[in-house]
């Protein structure tokens, strides 16, 4: 499998390390031999070799010099291609799209997915923008060109919030999905339950790397709203617009509010809720006061959780990490293995 990394930050590098770590398992169990042919990153430069790069060396060069163009020169090595040229002109079959993308516009990730599909290349991505903003167009384009589009990591990173209901809960009608889909806000709320102030808890969440560079998207609920839109698009088969999802965050929360709730045996949780009925699909994101006995009240720290209301299996809850470099890198591996399984069946 010839792979091009579009973006090579922490998540991309985590996947490259998994290729090295799991080399035997990938080959024996899944018949996958990943060959990294290209890396292009706006900050870290670009290299391409049609016969493949040495992944160990690549990681070493990035780690030591911060620029992939310091990779040792050899015949056939091309430097300096930008992302679109790499997508169009390289011989990669699989584009790993992990650029720094503006979630409000979905760019440049949307253009990258579009170019890949138009050039008959498959894509795996952890970028929420393309799935939240252009799901219908891009999924149709991938289908039309007979290629694969995987985005498991866009909701709950390596916790399989998207594939588990599709594969394992198949045959159920899912009428409602609700969950804690943002780690930063859950961490803040549970720290406040322990007596911390909102400001201190947010600072800690930033220090621990849970929050986005600009935490507005976390604390105002926008991050959870994009994830709710992805769940609606993919699992409920109805394209909803992020702008149409009422969204309230937790930036106005005080210690008193959290402590008063605890005194009444209740807890605040930022809940994304997606409901399907005869009239269609509706989603909301807002802080909800829930009983301490509610399973979602037991979800603490940066952990995420999601509950699927199924007509046959009843409520099914899935909980796990919602962020993290290894976990998000792993989400791309889940997609790559799924792609290989689908190809093997063809
Ligand atoms: N900032 C996000 C969170 C990271 O706190 O959940 C994963 O999208």
């Amino acid at each position: 499998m010839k792979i091009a990394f579009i973006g090579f930050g922490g998540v991309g590098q985590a996947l490259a390390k998994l290729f090295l770590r799991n080399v035997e398992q990938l080959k024996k169990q899944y018949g996958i031999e990943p060959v990294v042919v290209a890396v292009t990153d706006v900050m870290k430069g670009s290299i391409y070799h049609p016969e493949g790069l040495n992944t160990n060396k690549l990681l070493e060069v990035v780690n030591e010099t911060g620029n992939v163009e310091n990779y040792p020169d050899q015949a056939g090595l091309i430097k300096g291609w930008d992302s679109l040229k790499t997508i169009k002109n390289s011989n990669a079959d699989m584009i790993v799209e992990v650029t720094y993308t503006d979630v409000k516009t979905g760019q440049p990730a949307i253009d990258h997915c579009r170019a890949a599909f138009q050039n008959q290349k498959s894509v795996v991505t952890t970028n929420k923008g393309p799935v939240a903003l252009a799901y219908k167009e891009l999924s149709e384009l991938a289908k039309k060109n007979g290629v694969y589009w995987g985005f498991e990591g866009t909701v709950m990173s390596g916790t399989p919030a998207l594939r588990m209901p599709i594969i394992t809960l198949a045959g159920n009608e899912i009428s409602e999905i609700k969950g804690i889909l943002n780690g930063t806000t859950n961490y803040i709320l549970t720290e406040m339950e322990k007596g911390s102030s909102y400001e201190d808890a947010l600072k800690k969440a930033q220090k621990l790397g849970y929050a986005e560079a600009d935490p507005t998207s976390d604390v105002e609920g926008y991050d959870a709203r994009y994830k709710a839109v992805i769940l609606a698009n993919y699992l409920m088969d109805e394209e909803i617009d992020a702008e149409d999802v009422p969204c309230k965050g937790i930036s106005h929360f005080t210690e008193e509010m959290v402590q008063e709730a605890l005194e009444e045996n209740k807890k605040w949780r930022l809940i994304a809720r997606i409901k399907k009925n005869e009239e269609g699909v509706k989603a909301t994101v807002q802080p909800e006061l829930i009983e301490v006995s509610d399973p979602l009240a037991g979800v603490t720290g940066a952990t995420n959780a999601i509950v699927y209301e199924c007509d046959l299996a009843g409520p099914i809850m899935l909980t796990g990490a919602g962020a993290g470099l290894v976990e998000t890198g792993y989400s791309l591996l889940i997609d790559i293995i799924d792609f290989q399984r689908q190809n093997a069946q063809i």
Side-chain angles (χ1 to χ4, degrees), residues 128 181-184 210-212 218 223 227 322-323:
K128 291 181 270 284
L181 304 180
N182 180 269
T184 301
Y210 305 140
E212 305 291 318
D218 296 299
D223 175 71
K227 291 167 181 167

Side-chain angles (χ1 to χ4, degrees), residues 18-291:
L18 287 178
F19 287 156
L20 292 174
R21 204 194 86 159
N22 292 10
V23 64
E24 286 302 319
Q25 181 213 41
L26 287 172
K27 191 173 171 183
K28 272 201 200 129
Q29 210 170 328
Y30 304 109
I32 301 174
E33 291 181 69
V35 178
V36 178
V37 292
V39 172
T40 173
D41 184 293
V42 281
M43 309 293 287
K44 301 183 184 77
S46 292
I47 48 169
Y48 167 55
H49 196 298
E51 281 159 31
L53 302 160
N54 179 314
T55 310
N56 242 326
K57 190 80 208 158
L58 185 62
L59 286 164
E60 198 183 295
V61 167
V62 168
N63 198 22
E64 283 171 11
T65 74
N67 193 321
V68 293
E69 296 189 15
N70 292 320
Y71 188 88
D73 268 325
Q74 63 185 89
L77 188 75
I78 296 172
K79 293 181 183 174
W81 280 7
D82 67 14
S83 51
L84 286 173
K85 192 161 184 184
T86 304
I87 292 167
K88 289 179 192 161
N89 295 6
S90 75
N91 64 353
D93 332 290
M94 172 58 77
I95 304 297
V96 177
E97 208 293 334
V98 280
T99 54
Y100 181 74
T101 280
D102 177 356
V103 80
K104 287 196 199 94
T105 62
Q107 294 293 14
I110 290 179
D111 284 347
H112 293 159
C113 293
R114 209 179 266 142
F117 301 152
Q118 284 163 345
N119 286 274
Q120 283 76 47
K121 287 171 183 174
S122 293
V123 174
V124 295
T125 186
T126 55
N127 265 317
K128 291 181 270 284
V131 200
L133 304 176
Y135 176 73
K136 194 163 185 285
E137 181 216 323
L138 292 174
S139 55
E140 282 173 4
L141 195 60
K143 203 169 166 193
K144 189 176 136 206
N145 285 284
V147 290
Y148 180 89
W149 186 27
F151 41 81
E152 180 63 65
T154 56
V155 181
M156 288 173 72
S157 66
T159 308
L162 298 176
R163 189 157 291 110
M164 191 278 280
I166 289 283
I167 305 288
T168 313
L169 298 179
N172 284 287
E173 187 68 42
I174 299 177
S175 56
E176 186 182 66
I177 301 170
K178 65 176 177 189
I180 296 168
L181 304 180
N182 180 269
T184 301
T185 43
N186 207 56
Y187 177 82
I188 293 173
L189 289 172
T190 52
E191 282 297 299
M192 289 175 80
E193 282 161 9
K194 290 190 250 164
S196 175
S197 69
Y198 173 86
E199 289 76 18
D200 284 350
L202 173 58
K203 269 189 213 137
K204 275 197 223 160
Q206 285 176 295
K207 211 169 154 196
L208 289 163
Y210 305 140
E212 305 291 318
D214 172 4
T216 312
S217 185
D218 296 299
V219 297
E220 299 301 347
Y222 309 145
D223 175 71
R225 175 164 72 173
Y226 286 120
K227 291 167 181 167
V229 171
I230 294 171
L231 288 162
N233 285 346
Y234 187 60
L235 298 181
M236 291 186 157
D237 209 17
E238 182 150 324
E239 210 176 34
I240 59 169
D241 197 331
E243 297 302 316
D244 294 336
V245 177
C247 179
K248 275 195 208 121
I250 63 157
S251 58
H252 59 290
F253 267 54
T254 60
E255 288 131 271
E256 291 71 41
M257 284 168 75
V258 172
Q259 293 306 326
E260 270 169 31
L262 283 179
E263 279 158 26
E264 289 168 26
N265 264 342
K266 291 184 175 152
K267 286 186 178 184
W268 285 104
R269 289 289 179 265
L270 185 71
I271 307 283
R273 202 178 273 276
I274 307 112
K275 278 189 181 176
K276 186 179 192 174
N277 59 28
E278 305 76 48
E279 285 150 36
V281 174
K282 287 215 160 53
T284 52
V285 173
Q286 60 186 7
E288 293 188 20
L289 203 49
I290 58 176
E291 299 291 333

